């Protein structure tokens, strides 16, 4: 009975009707094709957004972008600018070995005709570093032990150490290259040398001076980092470092010391205090301004004589 009443109620409802109010007008002319205008506007809008995005990313990028910016930030004299260069893989450079050797890393380009501009840049660095050794009155200041470091890793300090030592040796001076980066040693890779014993073993007292050093050629020798210790800073006590430097200085005209980056710890300050000066390696667009400020303040607190960058 309820269903019957519902059906009767539905039949009695008045359905809404649809009526035509006005006939649609057919356009007499076609609409203009605005595709070229729209494409031009799209290109302009894309260029504007791309430029704005580039400026935004540049503002967010905190890296020190140019040599000029780095020089202004650190306020150290620029002693050399090494151009970027690429080298093929493999070990092939035998030009520095007296007997031809087994070959060294292609990143060691000193005395090589493959990258003459880069080799000349290292020679200029060596010459400028020699001028730093003299004061205003022409009196020579002892600067035969040079510590080389950087703000952060991967700025190229180890390559600078290797090539600078090789260039110095070409002048007829007796040069010792010391790998004091016992956190991430790399000189034995660059020179294709054995690293079973080296600096850490001397500091541990396992090996006495003179220790066997790798002889690269007549004027250049290499003291590798040796066994990697768990805490390298604990080995670098002032007494040990001073004794080591004094003992080695009697045998060589120049000692180049490759130390860890400042961000990795205080090893660079320990070696820098015992040496005659520190050379800071800076790579544009790699380290940021925060690490640069930290490195500069760290070297200032450590009272390290900074020769330049």
């Amino acid at each position: 009975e309820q269903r019957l009443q519902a059906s009767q109620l539905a039949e009695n409802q008045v359905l809404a009707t649809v009526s035509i109010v006005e006939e649609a007008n057919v356009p007499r002319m076609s609409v203009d094709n605005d595709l070229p205008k729209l494409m031009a506007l799209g290109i302009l809008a894309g260029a504007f957004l791309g430029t704005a995005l580039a400026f935004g990313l540049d503002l967010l990028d905190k890296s020190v972008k140019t040599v000029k910016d780095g020089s202004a930030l650190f306020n150290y004299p620029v002693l050399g600018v090494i151009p970027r260069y690429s080298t093929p893989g493999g070990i092939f450079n035998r030009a520095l070995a007296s007997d031809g050797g087994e070959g060294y890393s292609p990143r060691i380009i000193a005395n090589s005709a493959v990258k003459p501009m880069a080799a000349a840049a290292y020679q200029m660095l060596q010459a400028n570093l020699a001028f730093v050794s003299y004061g205003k009155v022409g009196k020579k200041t002892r600067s035969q032990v040079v510590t080389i470091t950087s703000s952060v890793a991967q700025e190229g300090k180890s390559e600078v150490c290797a090539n600078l030592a090789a260039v110095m040796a070409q002048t007829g001076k007796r040069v010792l290259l010391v790998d004091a980066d016992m956190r991430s040693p790399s000189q034995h890779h660059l020179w294709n040398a054995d690293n079973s014993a080296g600096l850490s073993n001397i500091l541990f007292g396992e090996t006495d001076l003179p220790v066997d050093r790798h002889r690269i050629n007549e004027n250049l020798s290499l003291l590798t980092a040796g066994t990697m210790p768990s805490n390298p800073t604990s080995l670098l006590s002032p007494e040990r470092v001073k004794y080591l430097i004094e003992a080695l200085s009697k045998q060589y005209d120049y000692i180049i010391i490759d130390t860890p980056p400042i961000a990795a710890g205080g090893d660079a300050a320990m070696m820098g205090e015992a040496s005659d000066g520190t050379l800071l390696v800076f790579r544009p667009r790699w380290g940021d301004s925060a690490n640069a400020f930290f490195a500069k303040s760290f070297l200032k607190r450590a009272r390290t004589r900074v020769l330049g960058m």
Side-chain angles (χ1 to χ4, degrees), residues 6-14:
S7 63
Q8 292 175 351
L9 180 61
E11 290 177 357
N12 294 332
Q13 290 180 347
V14 180

Coordinates of all heavy atoms in Angstrom, one line a residue, residues 6-14:
A6 N 3.3 5.9 -3.1 CA 4.5 6.6 -3.5 C 4.5 6.8 -5.0 O 4.8 7.8 -5.6 CB 5.7 5.8 -3.1
S7 N 4.0 5.7 -5.7 CA 3.9 5.8 -7.2 C 2.8 6.8 -7.6 O 3.1 7.6 -8.6 CB 3.6 4.4 -7.8 OG 2.3 4.0 -7.3
Q8 N 1.7 6.9 -6.9 CA 0.7 7.9 -7.3 C 1.2 9.3 -7.0 O 0.9 10.2 -7.8 CB -0.6 7.6 -6.5 CG -1.3 6.3 -6.9 CD -2.5 6.0 -5.9 OE1 -2.7 6.7 -4.9 NE2 -3.3 5.0 -6.3
L9 N 2.0 9.5 -5.9 CA 2.5 10.8 -5.6 C 3.5 11.2 -6.7 O 3.5 12.4 -7.1 CB 3.2 10.7 -4.3 CG 3.9 12.1 -3.8 CD1 2.8 13.1 -3.7 CD2 4.6 11.8 -2.5
A10 N 4.3 10.3 -7.2 CA 5.2 10.6 -8.3 C 4.5 11.0 -9.6 O 5.0 11.9 -10.3 CB 6.2 9.4 -8.5
E11 N 3.4 10.4 -9.8 CA 2.7 10.7 -11.1 C 2.0 12.1 -11.0 O 1.9 12.8 -12.0 CB 1.6 9.7 -11.3 CG 2.1 8.3 -11.7 CD 1.0 7.3 -11.8 OE1 -0.2 7.6 -11.6 OE2 1.3 6.1 -12.2
N12 N 1.7 12.5 -9.8 CA 1.0 13.8 -9.6 C 2.0 15.0 -9.6 O 1.6 16.1 -9.6 CB 0.2 13.8 -8.3 CG -1.0 12.8 -8.3 OD1 -1.5 12.5 -9.4 ND2 -1.4 12.2 -7.2
Q13 N 3.3 14.7 -9.5 CA 4.3 15.8 -9.5 C 4.4 16.4 -10.8 O 4.3 15.7 -11.9 CB 5.7 15.2 -9.1 CG 5.8 14.8 -7.6 CD 7.2 14.3 -7.3 OE1 8.0 14.1 -8.2 NE2 7.5 14.2 -6.0
V14 N 4.6 17.7 -10.8 CA 4.7 18.5 -12.1 C 6.2 18.5 -12.5 O 7.0 19.1 -11.7 CB 4.1 19.9 -11.9 CG1 4.2 20.6 -13.2 CG2 2.7 19.8 -11.5

